[in-house]
Amino acid sequence: MSCWETILDYGLRSQGLGERLLPQRDFTLCQQFTLIGSGMIWNIYFGVVALCTGFFLATAVAVGKASRNVVIRKASGWFIFLFRGSPLFIQFFFAYFLFLSLKGLSPFFDPFTSAWLGALVVLFLNTAAYSGEIFYGALQSIPKGDLEAADAYGLSGWARFRRITWPTMLRLAWPAYTNEAIFLFHATTLVFFSGFPAIQQRGDALYYARYFADKTFNPFIPYPILAGYFILLTLVIISIFGLVNGRLNRHLPQNVRAKLRFKPQVIR
């Protein structure tokens, strides 16, 4: 079988398309690259949807934590504490067994026991909590001069939030939010190892990497391939977020604009 035929057979296998059976022996590099790359579709799906939806909840949580209303402020603070204080791996387990219990009460919860929705809900809430704390810190760091200028122009309420508070908050929070986006995509590898089953072996990239490592007893080929895919994905995220960062800082002089820099952490 040529590499092109392998790509046609296994390129979309994680989505249930193409060859149904996984290769059992004589594994080639092309098979490993193709299947692990196929699994990356799930990682990208979880990361993109959770990040896009969690962004709006994070904004609401940050505003809620800064609210003068005690009930809203406490509820937002406890939401952040709950999801930041417990391991994501444990959150997946609790969510799966919760959805499994609710499934017996109503058929409405049937889709939540599948990874595509149930695990997505956990990632959505988790990233909203972390991002909400980042946005709250940025919200507290908005220069008073900006708010005083808004008052001088007669801006108040929603108009001040939309034109002054929210854009400034994003500009201040964006470098830290970029790191949260990267960590979120890396965290998607936990989905199929934390309770949510991979139906018909339709797993993510780590699922297929572990399959090859177990079959060949050689983890030094599939796992570096997996790492390579995530490095490429990280570079794409940094590039996209860098463009947004430039857009947010377009009003500043070129020499004082905050730039996103790739700084690998050797020790965390």
Side-chain angles (χ1 to χ4, degrees), residues 41-221:
I41 298 174
W42 277 114
N43 297 97
I44 294 172
Y45 160 76
F46 288 129
V48 169
V49 178
L51 194 68
C52 292
T53 55
F55 172 82
F56 297 101
L57 179 59
T59 302
V61 168
V63 174
K65 190 174 180 180
S67 173
R68 296 179 181 179
N69 186 299
V70 177
V71 176
I72 296 176
R73 186 170 67 248
K74 291 294 184 180
S76 300
W78 275 105
F79 172 79
I80 292 174
F81 176 77
L82 177 65
F83 284 95
R84 290 179 71 228
S86 58
L88 177 59
F89 194 78
I90 304 301
Q91 293 171 23
F92 279 125
F93 268 113
F94 273 105
Y96 178 69
F97 286 109
L98 174 63
F99 292 143
L100 206 59
S101 301
L102 294 174
K103 179 181 178 180
L105 300 177
S106 172
F108 172 80
F109 293 98
D110 286 359
F112 287 88
T113 57
S114 300
W116 71 269
L117 183 57
L120 182 62
V121 170
V122 178
L123 289 170
F124 157 69
L125 295 174
N126 185 271
T127 190
Y130 276 91
S131 303
E133 185 66 18
I134 293 171
F135 290 165
Y136 172 73
L139 200 60
Q140 298 297 101
S141 302
I142 295 176
K144 291 184 178 179
D146 291 11
L147 301 178
E148 291 172 354
D151 293 336
Y153 275 96
L155 296 175
S156 61
W158 171 248
R160 187 175 77 162
F161 178 80
R162 181 173 60 87
R163 297 192 175 195
I164 305 298
T165 306
W166 191 62
T168 306
M169 180 194 75
L170 289 182
R171 180 172 60 82
L172 296 174
W174 205 254
Y177 186 59
T178 302
N179 287 331
E180 166 57 23
I182 294 171
F183 292 146
L184 171 64
F185 276 91
H186 292 174
T188 59
T189 55
L190 296 175
V191 170
F192 290 103
F193 292 93
S194 55
F196 290 95
I199 301 174
Q200 296 180 350
Q201 298 177 319
R202 299 178 189 177
D204 67 341
L206 181 59
Y207 180 92
Y208 288 111
R210 193 178 74 163
Y211 172 81
F212 286 116
D214 291 343
K215 287 292 185 179
T216 62
F217 301 101
N218 181 13
F220 298 104
I221 294 179

Side-chain angles (χ1 to χ4, degrees), residues 1 4-23 34-35 38 41 200-202 208:
M1 180 182 292
W4 177 244
E5 291 174 333
T6 299
I7 294 173
L8 293 177
D9 288 342
Y10 295 109
L12 294 175
R13 191 194 179 282
S14 64
Q15 307 304 305
L17 302 175
E19 186 69 34
R20 296 189 62 182
L21 297 178
L22 289 173
T34 302
L35 278 167
S38 173
I41 298 174
Q200 296 180 350
Q201 298 177 319
R202 299 178 189 177
Y208 288 111

